[in-house]
Amino acid sequence: MARRITIPVRSFGSEVPVPTVPELAEWLKGMRGEEADLTTYRLARSLDAQEGVTIPAAGGIFYGDRWREAFQGMADGVLVNEPGIDPTAVVTDARYIQARRKGAWFSLPAPHMLGFHDAYIGDAEEFAETIATGYARLAREMRDVGVRGHVLIADLADEIELEILAGRKIVFFPRNPETFDLELLLEYQGDLILPAGELDRVPDLMEQFRVRRLILLAPEAGDLAAAAAFVDPDMLEAGGYCEEACPDYWKRLVDRAFISR
């Protein structure tokens, strides 16, 4: 009889559309006595969809709005004064999500995707380091109240961001792995994240870099079995990033996340 090996499912985020006014008003009725706004609603909905996900992550690209607000010295996304951070709102989010699902991660855009510009420091490299360091401080504040880690959704591999931020508690998620510089990413990160259809890239990348974990995006059960030819099952995860129709998306992914041997 074949043995079924369950593969962990990891979320890299779940996008949530802006609700209608009646939807938001109805949800707020159940939030009396708690601090809540539109972003809180979207965080809650992003997590609600991830039933059965082994490593859930509240948030997505939309959560960048909250982090933009946490950076001080900015005017319309331009640094015009002494930089700083105010972690109050993100810590409140962290406590809210941890009360709903202990150990959940948070997902948000990487620093280069926030669209910040400099009119104060006068040096591009120092400005990038300042923003990345602010990210690190905000992430620590959230981890201090129980957040397990952070997913940074990225459109490009930025070496300054990777050097300051990449680690076991901050994972960069390449939104478009086909065009992303995975080689640069793997110099700083041990997680190799690939679409299930690009398994043929795995042997070469594993030969060049020390890969700690292989995460296949939206795989079928057959894809996971094929991946087990390259890595032990305990190094393998099924990854997901939902941009629409999220309730069914996560259920289908969880149902497919196994290998039969």
Side-chain angles (χ1 to χ4, degrees), residues 176-253:
N176 298 300
E178 299 88 346
T179 59
F180 199 90
D181 187 348
L182 289 178
E183 287 80 3
L184 178 57
L185 176 61
L186 289 172
E187 289 183 11
Y188 295 91
Q189 176 170 297
D191 291 344
L192 171 56
I193 304 164
L194 280 175
E198 295 191 25
L199 262 177
D200 57 343
R201 300 179 64 184
V202 172
D204 182 55
L205 290 169
M206 290 192 69
E207 186 175 332
Q208 294 181 65
F209 302 97
R210 184 178 180 181
V211 174
R212 181 169 56 92
R213 183 181 294 114
L214 173 61
I215 306 170
L216 288 189
L217 295 173
E220 302 291 339
D223 297 319
L224 294 169
F230 304 116
V231 300
D232 292 333
D234 60 3
M235 292 177 59
L236 186 60
E237 290 181 353
Y241 171 61
C242 185
E243 297 185 78
E244 57 185 22
C246 291
D248 289 341
Y249 176 93
W250 294 109
K251 183 180 186 306
R252 291 196 305 269
L253 184 55

Side-chain angles (χ1 to χ4, degrees), residues 111 125-137 139-140 143 152 158-170 172 188:
E125 185 171 312
E126 185 180 346
F127 175 68
E129 291 173 352
T130 298
I131 300 302
T133 299
Y135 258 63
R137 290 176 58 198
R140 281 196 301 271
R143 291 199 303 269
L152 299 187
D158 182 283
E159 191 160 12
I160 290 175
E161 294 178 8
L162 291 170
E163 185 172 350
I164 293 174
L165 295 168
R168 289 179 180 264
K169 295 179 180 178
I170 296 181
F172 280 79
Y188 295 91

Side-chain angles (χ1 to χ4, degrees), residues 109-116 131 135 153-158 161 172 180:
H112 65 267
M113 295 180 63
L114 290 192
F116 285 153
I131 300 302
Y135 258 63
I153 303 167
D155 280 341
L156 57 87
D158 182 283
E161 294 178 8
F172 280 79
F180 199 90

Side-chain angles (χ1 to χ4, degrees), residues 9-67:
V9 176
R10 173 184 289 261
S11 170
F12 292 113
S14 232
E15 301 300 338
V16 177
V18 175
T20 63
V21 171
E23 287 174 335
L24 185 59
E26 182 64 27
W27 178 80
L28 285 171
K29 289 179 183 177
M31 294 293 292
R32 291 194 177 101
E34 296 190 60
E35 291 184 50
D37 59 11
L38 175 59
T39 299
T40 316
Y41 169 91
R42 297 172 83 181
L43 282 172
R45 288 290 182 257
S46 72
L47 190 64
D48 289 345
Q50 296 176 42
E51 184 71 28
V53 173
T54 316
I55 307 169
I61 292 293
F62 72 86
Y63 193 52
D65 291 343
R66 184 79 91 208
W67 278 49

